[in-house]
Amino acid sequence: MFLHLGSDTVVALEDVISINDYKLSRSVINRDFIQQMKDTNSIIDISGNQPKSFIVTKYKVYLSAISSMTLRKRADNLFYNED
C-alpha cells in the first residue's frame, strides 16, 4: 500500500515511521532533527514552502502541505482496509 503525501508524491506505507504536525518542529528536539536532516540533504520539501506536516520514513523526511491529521486518516484507511 502507498500513502499519497501531496504533489504527486507517494511513499510505501511500510516505510512510514511517523507523521507529525509541523508546528511541533518548534520544539528544540524536532527543530534540531529537521535541521540535521536538511544538513544531510535528507529532506524533500513537497509543500511549496508551506509545510503543515513532516513525515519521517526509513529513507527521507518529507515536508507536506497536507495536515498531519489528514495524512493519518489516509494511512489508517489504507492499513485497516488491507485484505
Side-chain angles (χ1 to χ4, degrees), residues 44-80:
I44 299 173
D45 187 351
I46 58 170
S47 71
N49 290 322
Q50 297 179 342
K52 292 184 181 176
S53 61
F54 66 99
I55 302 87
V56 180
T57 70
K58 291 180 183 178
Y59 309 103
K60 296 285 183 179
V61 175
Y62 295 85
L63 300 179
S64 176
I66 299 174
S67 76
S68 59
M69 291 302 292
T70 299
L71 291 172
R72 171 72 192 265
K73 288 177 188 176
R74 287 181 185 179
D76 285 347
N77 285 337
L78 291 171
F79 182 76
Y80 290 115

Side-chain angles (χ1 to χ4, degrees), residues 8-38:
D8 297 327
T9 303
V10 294
V11 295
L13 190 56
E14 65 188 28
D15 292 343
V16 174
I17 296 169
S18 67
I19 299 171
N20 308 283
D21 189 326
Y22 191 75
K23 291 178 185 175
L24 294 176
S25 68
R26 294 180 185 154
S27 73
V28 174
I29 194 162
N30 284 332
R31 188 173 48 236
D32 290 347
F33 171 74
I34 289 175
Q35 186 59 50
Q36 182 180 11
M37 293 298 100
K38 285 181 181 178

